[in-house]
Amino acid sequence: MKKVTFEKYHCMGNDYLVYDPNKNEMELNEENIRLICDRNFGVGSDGILAGPYLDQEKMYVKILNPDGSEVPKSGNGMGIFAKYLKDAGYVQKTSVSWMTISGEENVFYLNEEGTRVKISMGRPSFWSDEIPVTGERREMVNQTMMFGKIPYVTTCLSLGNPHCVIWMSEISKDQVCRIGEHSENADYFPEKVNTQLLNVLDRTNIQIEIYERGAGYTLASGSCACAAACAALRLGLADNNMYVHMPGGILEVEIKEDGTVYMVGEVGHVGTITLGNEMTEKLRAMQVKK
């Protein structure tokens, strides 16, 4: 039986498993992804980065949530995968690009080891039909929404994935979990939503708590940090360059005059994980029969 291996990385405590299909034979599906990501019965992670798939002109990467769903964007995931490509010898240049379901992604290495990366996150859209949010087309800035029968003033946007930002003077894990349990699957959001509670410390420092769709409470998220920064700038609460403080660490976000968002983060390699025979057999039994 061929061993199944993962490389584990983290970016500010936001941890991912990299599953390289060129080195493994097992197929990933919703059922076995749930078990792999389970922190008690599996390996444990905030998601899986599957790739690189090399049968196209450009590399393709699947960003998989712990519930098995594929998502279009993960800032921290992009930084982690870029580090893996350098570690595994796929890349020797100072930048790398690949495709996801949201299109082309670009990452720039800021040091030779690939532990510090700059990631292009695209431009935000606050338009309801592009996020998406139900109802007539409108900009989702300072819009009141009901979550768990409680009204909140929200600013919603897309950075390739949907975000709902709620500005508060005090934020906590308990608050974001309480709100996120309702907002993630609220009827407003046909594709679900990432929820961030935003506290503005000053014009160059903001603080957030995060509840990610398909993952729940998260110590850090690159796309959520960038979304919160875009919301803070749009609301006139912060400048173009800011530090986003999260329980897992601090992320630098830069928003250019044309609206393009860049984030800078630190990536760490935890180690190589080789599954035992019992776990491997259990996962293989979960594969879709063809």
Side-chain angles (χ1 to χ4, degrees):
M1 179 186 298
K2 185 173 181 179
K3 297 291 186 180
V4 176
T5 62
F6 296 90
E7 297 294 336
K8 188 165 187 175
Y9 292 82
H10 78 92
C11 184
M12 299 172 296
N14 189 196
D15 60 335
Y16 277 90
L17 298 170
V18 176
Y19 181 81
D20 191 332
N22 305 294
K23 300 178 181 180
N24 292 280
E25 296 178 351
M26 185 182 71
E27 291 183 25
L28 296 175
N29 59 39
E30 185 175 313
E31 191 177 6
N32 61 28
I33 290 168
R34 288 176 182 270
L35 177 57
I36 293 164
C37 293
D38 190 288
R39 296 191 183 277
N40 296 304
F41 296 99
V43 179
S45 75
D46 288 325
I48 296 175
L49 304 168
Y53 293 93
L54 303 171
D55 57 347
Q56 305 175 40
E57 289 185 9
K58 281 189 174 291
M59 291 187 289
Y60 187 86
V61 180
K62 293 181 180 180
I63 307 168
L64 302 167
N65 269 338
D67 65 359
S69 60
E70 183 175 1
V71 294
K73 181 83 74 172
S74 167
N76 288 347
M78 290 165 63
I80 285 169
F81 198 76
K83 168 66 171 158
Y84 171 73
L85 290 176
K86 184 171 276 287
D87 289 347
Y90 285 104
V91 177
Q92 285 80 40
K93 299 179 181 178
T94 57
S95 66
V96 63
S97 63
W98 59 77
M99 302 298 292
T100 70
I101 57 174
S102 67
E104 186 174 17
E105 309 290 357
N106 297 286
V107 179
F108 305 90
Y109 298 105
L110 300 183
N111 61 8
E112 193 169 336
E113 298 79 16
T115 56
R116 185 169 172 81
V117 292
K118 182 175 183 178
I119 302 162
S120 174
M121 298 294 290
R123 295 185 180 92
S125 172
F126 294 88
W127 288 103
S128 58
D129 57 329
E130 297 176 1
I131 297 171
V133 179
T134 57
E136 72 282 358
R137 189 173 195 262
R138 64 209 184 278
E139 282 202 297
M140 294 301 300
V141 179
N142 283 331
Q143 298 285 313
T144 299
M145 292 181 156
M146 300 284 292
F147 303 129
K149 300 182 180 179
I150 300 173
Y152 297 93
V153 178
T154 70
T155 294
C156 301
L157 65 147
S158 173
L159 268 173
N161 52 359
H163 299 272
C164 177
V165 182
I166 304 172
W167 176 30
M168 294 180 164
S169 57
E170 293 183 8
I171 62 176
S172 69
K173 175 183 178 179
D174 288 343
Q175 279 179 304
V176 79
C177 289
R178 189 165 57 247
I179 296 170
E181 287 174 358
H182 296 284
S183 58
E184 178 186 7
N185 298 294
D187 291 340
Y188 300 112
F189 307 109
E191 296 180 8
K192 301 186 179 182
V193 78
N194 300 302
T195 303
Q196 298 100 53
L197 301 188
L198 165 67
N199 177 27
V200 179
L201 304 175
D202 57 45
R203 295 199 65 84
T204 56
N205 290 274
I206 64 173
Q207 178 189 13
I208 63 172
E209 289 281 0
I210 303 161
Y211 193 94
E212 282 196 295
R213 61 174 183 170
Y217 181 74
T218 305
L219 292 175
S221 165
S223 63
C224 289
C226 291
C230 290
L233 179 64
R234 179 61 187 268
L235 294 170
L237 303 172
D239 297 332
N240 290 66
N241 298 334
M242 65 193 88
Y243 295 94
V244 182
H245 300 251
M246 296 171 284
I250 301 172
L251 193 71
E252 299 175 42
V253 176
E254 178 184 1
I255 306 172
K256 298 289 190 180
E257 291 302 319
D258 68 355
T260 304
V261 183
Y262 292 90
M263 57 167 269
V264 175
E266 303 281 345
V267 180
H269 182 220
V270 177
T272 302
I273 297 171
T274 303
L275 300 185
N277 290 339
E278 182 181 341
M279 175 61 74
T280 300
E281 289 178 3
K282 187 179 293 186
L283 293 172
R284 290 190 189 283
M286 295 176 176
Q287 292 183 82
V288 176
K289 301 295 189 298
K290 295 186 177 179

